[in-house]
Short mmCIF file of all heavy atoms in Angstrom, two decimals:
data_model
loop_
_atom_site.label_atom_id
_atom_site.label_comp_id
_atom_site.label_asym_id
_atom_site.label_seq_id
_atom_site.Cartn_x
_atom_site.Cartn_y
_atom_site.Cartn_z
N ALA A 1 -148.77 57.91 -72.89
CA ALA A 1 -150.20 57.77 -72.60
C ALA A 1 -150.62 56.30 -72.57
O ALA A 1 -151.40 55.89 -71.70
CB ALA A 1 -151.02 58.53 -73.63
N VAL A 2 -150.12 55.51 -73.51
CA VAL A 2 -150.49 54.08 -73.54
C VAL A 2 -149.98 53.38 -72.29
O VAL A 2 -150.65 52.50 -71.74
CB VAL A 2 -149.94 53.41 -74.82
CG1 VAL A 2 -150.11 51.89 -74.75
CG2 VAL A 2 -150.66 53.95 -76.06
N ALA A 3 -148.81 53.81 -71.82
CA ALA A 3 -148.22 53.19 -70.62
C ALA A 3 -149.10 53.39 -69.38
O ALA A 3 -149.00 52.62 -68.42
CB ALA A 3 -146.83 53.75 -70.38
N LYS A 4 -149.97 54.39 -69.41
CA LYS A 4 -150.84 54.66 -68.28
C LYS A 4 -152.16 53.90 -68.36
O LYS A 4 -153.02 54.05 -67.50
CB LYS A 4 -151.12 56.17 -68.20
CG LYS A 4 -149.87 57.00 -67.93
CD LYS A 4 -150.17 58.49 -68.02
CE LYS A 4 -148.89 59.32 -67.84
NZ LYS A 4 -149.16 60.77 -68.03
N THR A 5 -152.32 53.12 -69.42
CA THR A 5 -153.55 52.34 -69.59
C THR A 5 -153.25 50.86 -69.35
O THR A 5 -152.12 50.47 -69.06
CB THR A 5 -154.11 52.51 -71.01
OG1 THR A 5 -153.25 51.83 -71.95
CG2 THR A 5 -154.22 53.98 -71.39
N GLU A 6 -154.28 50.05 -69.51
CA GLU A 6 -154.10 48.60 -69.37
C GLU A 6 -153.57 47.97 -70.65
O GLU A 6 -153.36 46.76 -70.72
CB GLU A 6 -155.44 47.95 -69.02
CG GLU A 6 -156.52 48.18 -70.08
CD GLU A 6 -157.86 47.59 -69.69
OE1 GLU A 6 -157.92 46.38 -69.45
OE2 GLU A 6 -158.83 48.37 -69.63
N TYR A 7 -153.35 48.82 -71.68
CA TYR A 7 -152.90 48.32 -72.97
C TYR A 7 -151.39 48.54 -73.13
O TYR A 7 -150.76 49.25 -72.36
CB TYR A 7 -153.63 49.05 -74.11
CG TYR A 7 -155.13 48.92 -74.05
CD1 TYR A 7 -155.91 49.90 -73.42
CD2 TYR A 7 -155.78 47.83 -74.61
CE1 TYR A 7 -157.30 49.78 -73.35
CE2 TYR A 7 -157.16 47.71 -74.57
CZ TYR A 7 -157.91 48.69 -73.94
OH TYR A 7 -159.27 48.57 -73.88
N ASN A 8 -150.83 47.93 -74.20
CA ASN A 8 -149.46 48.24 -74.59
C ASN A 8 -149.42 48.41 -76.10
O ASN A 8 -150.44 48.25 -76.78
CB ASN A 8 -148.47 47.17 -74.11
CG ASN A 8 -148.85 45.79 -74.61
OD1 ASN A 8 -149.01 45.58 -75.82
ND2 ASN A 8 -149.00 44.83 -73.69
N PHE A 9 -148.26 48.72 -76.66
CA PHE A 9 -148.19 49.08 -78.07
C PHE A 9 -148.49 47.90 -79.00
O PHE A 9 -148.86 48.11 -80.16
CB PHE A 9 -146.83 49.71 -78.41
CG PHE A 9 -146.95 51.18 -78.69
CD1 PHE A 9 -147.09 52.09 -77.66
CD2 PHE A 9 -146.98 51.65 -79.99
CE1 PHE A 9 -147.23 53.45 -77.92
CE2 PHE A 9 -147.12 53.00 -80.27
CZ PHE A 9 -147.24 53.90 -79.23
N SER A 10 -148.38 46.68 -78.52
CA SER A 10 -148.74 45.53 -79.36
C SER A 10 -150.25 45.45 -79.57
O SER A 10 -150.72 44.72 -80.45
CB SER A 10 -148.22 44.23 -78.73
OG SER A 10 -148.86 44.00 -77.49
N ASP A 11 -151.01 46.21 -78.77
CA ASP A 11 -152.47 46.24 -78.91
C ASP A 11 -152.96 47.32 -79.87
O ASP A 11 -154.16 47.45 -80.10
CB ASP A 11 -153.12 46.48 -77.54
CG ASP A 11 -152.76 45.42 -76.53
OD1 ASP A 11 -152.78 44.23 -76.89
OD2 ASP A 11 -152.45 45.77 -75.37
N VAL A 12 -152.02 48.10 -80.43
CA VAL A 12 -152.41 49.21 -81.31
C VAL A 12 -152.75 48.67 -82.70
O VAL A 12 -151.91 48.08 -83.38
CB VAL A 12 -151.29 50.27 -81.41
CG1 VAL A 12 -151.69 51.36 -82.41
CG2 VAL A 12 -151.02 50.88 -80.04
N LEU A 13 -154.00 48.88 -83.11
CA LEU A 13 -154.46 48.40 -84.41
C LEU A 13 -153.99 49.31 -85.53
O LEU A 13 -153.74 48.87 -86.65
CB LEU A 13 -155.98 48.32 -84.40
CG LEU A 13 -156.67 47.73 -85.61
CD1 LEU A 13 -156.23 46.28 -85.83
CD2 LEU A 13 -158.18 47.78 -85.42
N GLY A 14 -153.87 50.60 -85.24
CA GLY A 14 -153.43 51.55 -86.24
C GLY A 14 -153.38 52.95 -85.68
O GLY A 14 -153.89 53.22 -84.58
N VAL A 15 -152.75 53.85 -86.44
CA VAL A 15 -152.64 55.26 -86.06
C VAL A 15 -153.29 56.10 -87.16
O VAL A 15 -152.94 55.96 -88.35
CB VAL A 15 -151.17 55.68 -85.89
CG1 VAL A 15 -151.08 57.16 -85.48
CG2 VAL A 15 -150.46 54.79 -84.88
N GLY A 16 -154.22 56.95 -86.78
CA GLY A 16 -154.85 57.88 -87.71
C GLY A 16 -154.39 59.29 -87.43
O GLY A 16 -154.33 59.71 -86.27
N ILE A 17 -154.05 60.03 -88.48
CA ILE A 17 -153.50 61.38 -88.32
C ILE A 17 -154.20 62.35 -89.26
O ILE A 17 -154.28 62.11 -90.47
CB ILE A 17 -151.98 61.40 -88.61
CG1 ILE A 17 -151.24 60.40 -87.69
CG2 ILE A 17 -151.42 62.81 -88.44
CD1 ILE A 17 -149.75 60.27 -88.01
N GLY A 18 -154.71 63.44 -88.71
CA GLY A 18 -155.28 64.52 -89.50
C GLY A 18 -154.30 65.68 -89.57
O GLY A 18 -153.72 66.06 -88.56
N VAL A 19 -154.11 66.23 -90.77
CA VAL A 19 -153.11 67.28 -90.99
C VAL A 19 -153.76 68.45 -91.75
O VAL A 19 -154.53 68.23 -92.69
CB VAL A 19 -151.92 66.73 -91.82
CG1 VAL A 19 -150.85 67.79 -92.00
CG2 VAL A 19 -151.33 65.51 -91.14
N PRO A 20 -153.44 69.70 -91.37
CA PRO A 20 -154.02 70.86 -92.05
C PRO A 20 -153.31 71.20 -93.36
O PRO A 20 -152.58 72.18 -93.48
CB PRO A 20 -153.84 71.98 -91.02
CG PRO A 20 -152.58 71.61 -90.29
CD PRO A 20 -152.60 70.09 -90.22
N GLY A 21 -153.52 70.36 -94.36
CA GLY A 21 -152.91 70.59 -95.66
C GLY A 21 -153.42 69.57 -96.65
O GLY A 21 -154.08 68.59 -96.28
N PRO A 22 -153.12 69.75 -97.94
CA PRO A 22 -153.55 68.78 -98.95
C PRO A 22 -152.78 67.47 -98.81
O PRO A 22 -151.55 67.47 -98.70
CB PRO A 22 -153.22 69.47 -100.28
CG PRO A 22 -152.18 70.48 -99.95
CD PRO A 22 -152.42 70.91 -98.53
N VAL A 23 -153.51 66.36 -98.80
CA VAL A 23 -152.91 65.05 -98.52
C VAL A 23 -153.21 64.09 -99.66
O VAL A 23 -154.35 64.01 -100.13
CB VAL A 23 -153.46 64.45 -97.20
CG1 VAL A 23 -152.87 63.07 -96.94
CG2 VAL A 23 -153.17 65.38 -96.02
N ASN A 24 -152.20 63.35 -100.09
CA ASN A 24 -152.42 62.21 -100.98
C ASN A 24 -152.73 61.02 -100.09
O ASN A 24 -151.84 60.49 -99.42
CB ASN A 24 -151.18 61.95 -101.84
CG ASN A 24 -151.40 60.82 -102.84
OD1 ASN A 24 -151.98 59.78 -102.52
ND2 ASN A 24 -150.94 61.02 -104.06
N PHE A 25 -153.99 60.61 -100.07
CA PHE A 25 -154.42 59.58 -99.13
C PHE A 25 -153.72 58.25 -99.40
O PHE A 25 -153.45 57.48 -98.48
CB PHE A 25 -155.93 59.41 -99.21
CG PHE A 25 -156.49 58.41 -98.23
CD1 PHE A 25 -156.52 58.69 -96.88
CD2 PHE A 25 -156.99 57.19 -98.67
CE1 PHE A 25 -157.03 57.78 -95.96
CE2 PHE A 25 -157.51 56.27 -97.77
CZ PHE A 25 -157.52 56.57 -96.41
N GLU A 26 -153.42 57.97 -100.65
CA GLU A 26 -152.81 56.69 -101.00
C GLU A 26 -151.38 56.58 -100.49
O GLU A 26 -150.93 55.50 -100.10
CB GLU A 26 -152.84 56.49 -102.52
CG GLU A 26 -154.23 56.42 -103.11
CD GLU A 26 -155.07 55.29 -102.54
OE1 GLU A 26 -154.50 54.20 -102.31
OE2 GLU A 26 -156.27 55.49 -102.32
#
């Protein structure tokens, strides 16, 4: 998907992920 944009992976500030289960945020 990123390859189809004007951006590349060096422009990624971070990845956020939501998961259906109990998570230790730390």
Side-chain angles (χ1 to χ4, degrees):
V2 170
K4 296 173 184 175
T5 71
E6 60 183 302
Y7 302 94
N8 56 55
F9 251 77
S10 64
D11 301 316
V12 176
L13 186 60
V15 181
I17 303 175
V19 183
V23 178
N24 183 317
F25 183 70
E26 297 300 322

